Amino acid sequence: MSLRAQLWLIFLAPVVLMGALFALGLTLPMPALGRGYVIRITLPPAGEPADLPQVLGPKDKSRPLIVIDAGHGGHDPGASGNGIEEKNLTLGLAKALRDEIVKEGGIRVALTRSDDRYLVLAERFGIARALGADLFLSIHADSAGDADGVSGASIYTLSNTASSEAASRFADRENSADVVNGVALDGRSDMINAILVQLSQRKTQEDSNVFAGLILREGKDRLKFHSQPLRSAELAVLRAPDLPSVLYEAGFVTNPQEAQALTSPRGREAFAKVMARAVRIYFARQSGDG
């Protein structure tokens, strides 16, 4: 048999075999493609608005609105330790704070998630912006790995470097009809838009730092803080340029005593009362400034 005939046989044999099997109604088992840990997320059809969470509290939309974000969720458990997952701990704290704010009245409140669902980082502060929030609080918990005795809450705001980068990216990304802090960006040059966003970001950072300081002040002798509680970092969830935002690391799930306290009714109540008071004082000051 010639070389050409051998080559044709190599290429045609599988086709002939599959054709014969198909004619006989038989099939060969096909290997599974891909990996079993691939996560598939159902997204809404393009052009359809995403469902926004319910806003609780006064019906008057002139009342201030805080959006509380329980970190992680769904397939993303976050940190874990002592049989506790961060996603459940943060959701418990978020609901406790929501209920405390509703009980006290006067302030509107919404949760980015009220159940065990996954949200991408941009979606979290995107929900807050879509609702017209005046304040954004993201709740997390930390892990110290194998280190013993590490405990205490930390309060994060966006670092100055990340703040500037976020403002520039936001100005590039948003369309010409967007509005930041009540200022329309349409009809202006890209350079002017970038400056407007950066000025907005500067005021936002000042307000974020004020709120972080109030949490620390109101939580003194009531909550346990880390030895260096006030921090700044390049955290994507805090990068809305026109929305004062703070990330609160409630403590360490790897610390048995702290994890137990944070998931107990008493611990949640203590957190909720301190944080609700800080929120109320923050909005009172903002109203006085206006």
Side-chain angles (χ1 to χ4, degrees):
M1 183 181 293
S2 67
L3 177 61
R4 177 175 295 182
Q6 293 179 31
L7 291 174
W8 274 108
L9 182 61
I10 291 173
F11 283 109
L12 292 177
V15 177
V16 173
L17 177 61
M18 294 300 295
L21 290 173
F22 180 79
L24 295 173
L26 302 175
T27 58
L28 291 175
M30 297 297 292
L33 301 177
R35 295 181 170 88
Y37 58 77
V38 171
I39 298 167
R40 293 175 174 82
I41 302 172
T42 302
L43 298 176
E48 287 190 11
D51 292 336
L52 292 175
Q54 181 183 11
V55 176
L56 301 178
K59 300 300 182 183
D60 182 1
K61 291 186 177 181
S62 68
R63 306 299 296 179
L65 169 63
I66 177 173
V67 170
I68 306 167
D69 172 50
H72 304 278
H75 69 267
D76 175 18
S80 61
N82 304 292
I84 296 172
E85 293 181 332
E86 181 181 357
K87 66 175 184 178
N88 297 323
L89 184 153
T90 60
L91 185 57
L93 293 175
K95 287 182 174 180
L97 176 55
R98 174 200 62 190
D99 295 345
E100 182 67 21
I101 291 174
V102 170
K103 183 178 72 173
E104 292 181 356
I107 295 173
R108 298 183 298 143
V109 58
L111 302 184
T112 57
R113 68 177 183 95
S114 56
D115 53 19
D116 187 19
R117 71 178 61 192
Y118 174 76
L119 298 171
V120 297
L121 293 177
E123 189 176 5
R124 295 173 185 271
F125 67 76
I127 288 172
R129 291 193 78 234
L131 288 174
D134 303 289
L135 186 62
F136 178 77
L137 173 66
S138 187
I139 304 173
H140 287 254
D142 213 339
S143 170
D146 297 329
D148 295 328
V150 182
S151 64
S154 301
I155 309 163
Y156 285 86
T157 54
L158 190 65
S159 70
N160 290 332
T161 300
S163 171
S164 178
E165 293 173 353
S168 297
R169 280 196 298 272
F170 184 89
D172 292 337
R173 185 177 69 247
E174 295 298 304
N175 60 49
S176 61
D178 202 9
V179 175
V180 175
N181 272 344
V183 179
L185 300 183
D186 59 317
R188 294 184 171 87
S189 70
D190 292 342
M191 180 179 295
I192 293 177
N193 284 343
I195 293 172
L196 289 172
V197 173
Q198 288 177 1
L199 289 174
S200 172
Q201 182 75 57
R202 187 177 302 172
K203 177 63 166 63
T204 298
Q205 284 300 103
E206 292 174 357
D207 291 341
S208 300
N209 292 333
V210 168
F211 182 49
L214 286 171
I215 296 173
L216 184 61
R217 190 191 76 177
E218 296 305 311
K220 184 180 180 181
D221 301 327
R222 296 180 179 90
L223 300 177
K224 184 175 183 180
F225 289 101
H226 191 272
S227 57
Q228 295 179 327
L230 294 177
R231 307 179 182 188
S232 62
E234 298 184 12
L235 299 170
V237 77
L238 302 181
R239 291 191 173 189
D242 54 349
L243 177 59
S245 306
V246 165
L247 185 145
Y248 181 79
E249 289 274 8
F252 289 80
V253 295
T254 49
N255 183 304
Q257 292 76 28
E258 190 158 64
Q260 187 64 36
L262 290 170
T263 53
S264 69
R266 184 176 180 179
R268 289 173 177 170
E269 181 183 10
F271 161 82
K273 287 188 176 299
V274 166
M275 197 65 69
R277 179 167 173 78
V279 169
R280 189 168 297 281
I281 295 173
Y282 171 83
F283 283 135
R285 288 187 174 183
Q286 293 295 307
S287 176
D289 291 342

